[in-house]
Amino acid sequence: MRLTTAQALTRFLAAQWSERDGVEQRLIAGVLGIFGHGNVAGVGQALAEQGAGTGDALPYYLARNEQAMVHTAVGYARTRARLSTFACTTSIGPGATNLVTGAALATINRVPVLLLPGDVFATRAPGTVLQELEDPRSYDVSVNDSLRPVSRFFDRINRPEQLPAALLAAMRVLTDPAETGAVTLALPQDVQAEAYDWPEELFARRVWHVPRPVPEPAALARAKELLRGSRRPLIVAGGGVRYSGAWAELTRFAENHGVPVGETQAGKGALPHDHPCAAGAIGHTGTDAANTLAREADLVIGVGTRYTDFTTASRTLFGQAAFLNVNVTAFDAAKNAGATLVADAREALRALDDVDWRADPEWTHRAAALAAAWQSEIGHTYAGAELTQPVMLGVLNEVAEGGVVVNAAGSMPGDLHRLWRPADPEQYHVEYGYSCMGYEIAGGLGVKLAAPEREVFVLVGDGSYLMMAQEIATAVQERIKLVIVLVDNRGFASIGNLSESVGARRLGTAYRTRGPGGELDGDPLPVDLAANAASLGADVLRADGPESLRAALVKARESARTTVVYVEPVPGGGPGAQAWWDVPVAQVSGLPEVRAARERYDEAKRDQRLYL
C-alpha cells in the first residue's frame, strides 16, 4: 500500500485499540495539533485526506498552545484510567519545545501521551532551516532531543522503513502500566511527506492487552507475614488504586481487617469520605486524622503510591513504621526500603484479603473516631459566613454533586486535599505530581472529552490563569462545556505564604505596579481577568459572597455554554495539616525573620528519617 510516512502513521494509529478485563476502547482517541511548516504538509495533510472526525478516522482538535495539548491528553488519559489517550502533533522549533513541560508532567504522573513533533530535514538538503538548532558538535541534534529525558520512549524516524518498529514500540510503552508516560516519535518533515510501499498488515486492527500483573507467591507470603505481625497498620492509597479500579477491593480489605486508609492527592476518593475506615488526606496537605495515625502506625501499606515528599512530609511523618509497598512498578514498590509486592493493585488486594489477621480493635475504633472528628471539622469550616477559599470550596462541593473538580497548583490543592468530599472515586482530579500551573483549563478540557456526561468544574487561580487561559477558546470552538471558577488572589497566594515563612518577604508574589521606591509594591494591576475570559468566548458571572457564588454555580451548571465564575475570596484559611515540608532556609542572613525560620527548619530536620 503506497502511502506517505505521515499517511501510514495516521492510518496505523486509527487501528489501535486497548483491552483490559475484556473491555476494548480506542487507544488513540484523536489528534490534538497546531500546524506549522514542520507538520502541515505531512501529518496535517494526512489528517485532511483521511477525513478527520468521520467514520474510523482520527478526530482532530485545534488547540492554542502545545503544552496545553499535552495537558488535555493527560486529563483525558487519566479519566480513562490510562487505557486511552491522544496524540499531539507540532511543527519544529518552538512548537516542539513547548511540549517539554507537558511531557514531564505526563511521565512524572505515569500517564500515557503520544507526542509527534516535526523535525528538521533528514536529508539535510536545504541546509539550515527556519527554527533549526545548530549544534556545532553534531548535525544529528535538534531541539526535539530536549524531549528525551522526559519521555519513556523516544525515537527519530529518519527513514520510512523505520516507522513500523517504532510504532509498535510506542504502543507497547503506552499500554504498559509499569512503563507508561510520554512517548515521542520525532518526525523529520521530509520523511513525513516521503512515499513508501507499506505492508497491509501494518494497518490491520490491533488490540493491545493491558495486563494486571499478579503477586509473586514468595513476595505474597512475605507480605502476609508482615500483616500478621502488625497491630497498628495504615494504608496509603495512591493513584494506582484509581488506575487499577481497585475501589471495591480496597474497601473490602479495609473493612475485613480493620485498617484505616489515608489518601494521596492521586488516591483521593479511594474510600467514600464518610466511611469509618476513611482517614482522609495524608501528608503535608493531610488531615489531623490521617497524620496522627501515620505517626503512630507500625506498618504502612502503600497501595499504588510514589511516596512523594508531600505524602511523607519530607520523610518526617511515619515514625518508625515498616513499609509494605504494593505497586505495579518495581521502582516505586522498592521505595522507603519497604517489602515489595509488585502487582496490580486490584489483584494484590484480592490476594492479601484472605490473610487471617485483623488490626488491633482499639486502633480501628480510634481511627474511626479521628475520622469522624475531622468530618465534623470540615462541616464547621464549610459553614463560614465570609467567602474565604475554604467556604468557596464548600459551596462548590455542594453544587458539584456528581461533577468532576479539576485543579493543579497554588493553595487550592492543599485545601481540596484536606476538605473536599468526593461523591465518587472519579470526582476528584487534582494534578499534583508536577503541580503544573496552567494545567487546569487544558486538563479540564481533556476530562470533559473523556467523560462528556459529567459536569466539569475547573478551579484556577489568577497566577495559573495568566499562564494558560487560551484553551477557553478551544472549549468554545468545540462546544465542550466547562464551568471555570476563576479565583483572583491578586498574585501567587501559596508561594507568597511560603516566601514569608522562609524569610523571603513575599518578593515577586503580588500583582502590583512598581512603586516609587522601585519595588513591586504599588497599586494592584488594573487587569480584568473576567473581561479577558469573556473576550475568549466564555460567559462570565461574578460572585462576592457564599450565596451569590451558589447562585452563579447553579446557573453555570444549568448552562450549555462554557461559563467562568469570577471570585475574589477574602483572606482566611481552614485547618492546617501540621505536617512539615522540606524547603531549605538560608543558613546565614542579616534578616531576623530568616534566622528564626532557620531555627525552625533545623528543629524539623531532626525528625527526618533515613530509610535503610
Side-chain angles (χ1 to χ4, degrees), residues 263-265 268 273 279-288 291 310 374-375 377-379 381-382 389-390 393 397 410-422 428 573-579:
E263 304 164 325
T264 71
Q265 282 280 11
K268 177 79 172 176
H273 71 269
I282 197 165
H284 178 65
T285 55
T287 70
D288 283 343
N291 286 348
F310 260 55
W374 182 258
Q375 288 301 320
E377 182 71 22
I378 293 176
T381 301
Y382 275 178
Q389 183 166 287
L393 296 181
N397 209 162
S411 61
M412 283 186 283
D415 283 343
L416 284 164
H417 195 204
R418 277 189 291 271
L419 302 174
W420 191 263
R421 292 165 165 167
Y428 189 84
Q578 305 304 314

Side-chain angles (χ1 to χ4, degrees), residues 101-121:
T101 296
L105 180 146
T107 297
I108 283 171
N109 283 287
R110 319 292 205 261
V111 176
V113 296
L114 178 60
L115 309 180
L116 304 172
D119 213 326
V120 297
F121 282 69

Side-chain angles (χ1 to χ4, degrees), residues 6-163:
Q7 291 163 1
L9 167 71
T10 57
R11 184 173 295 216
F12 173 89
L13 294 179
Q16 306 308 298
W17 293 72
S18 71
E19 175 272 325
R20 189 176 69 175
D21 301 334
V23 178
E24 296 182 2
Q25 57 186 293
R26 272 274 184 88
L27 176 55
I28 306 299
V31 178
L32 296 153
I34 298 176
F35 295 116
H37 68 281
N39 65 340
V40 65
V43 175
Q45 187 280 328
L47 289 171
E49 183 165 327
Q50 68 155 14
T54 62
D56 293 330
L58 290 169
Y60 164 73
Y61 297 89
L62 168 63
R64 268 68 193 171
N65 178 280
E66 292 87 356
Q67 177 184 323
M69 293 193 307
V70 190
H71 294 337
T72 297
V74 168
Y76 183 94
R78 178 175 166 178
T79 304
R80 290 294 181 93
R82 305 192 300 191
L83 300 172
S84 181
T85 188
F86 270 81
C88 301
T89 179
T90 75
S91 183
I92 69 171
T97 54
N98 278 352
L99 293 172
V100 174
T101 296
L105 180 146
T107 297
I108 283 171
N109 283 287
R110 319 292 205 261
V111 176
V113 296
L114 178 60
L115 309 180
L116 304 172
D119 213 326
V120 297
F121 282 69
T123 62
R124 305 174 186 166
T128 304
V129 300
L130 179 65
Q131 299 177 330
E132 179 175 354
L133 171 72
E134 293 186 274
D135 189 329
R137 297 167 298 178
S138 172
Y139 286 120
D140 194 36
V141 174
S142 81
V143 295
N144 287 344
D145 289 281
S146 64
L147 286 159
R148 288 182 184 271
V150 292
S151 298
R152 295 298 290 169
F153 178 82
F154 178 100
D155 199 11
R156 180 176 283 114
I157 313 302
N158 287 308
R159 292 293 308 143
E161 52 265 43
Q162 295 172 348
L163 182 67

Side-chain angles (χ1 to χ4, degrees), residues 370-401:
L370 287 168
W374 182 258
Q375 288 301 320
S376 177
E377 182 71 22
I378 293 176
H380 176 74
T381 301
Y382 275 178
E386 293 189 297
L387 192 58
T388 61
Q389 183 166 287
V391 170
M392 177 192 74
L393 296 181
V395 175
L396 178 59
N397 209 162
E398 173 193 333
V399 175
E401 295 179 357

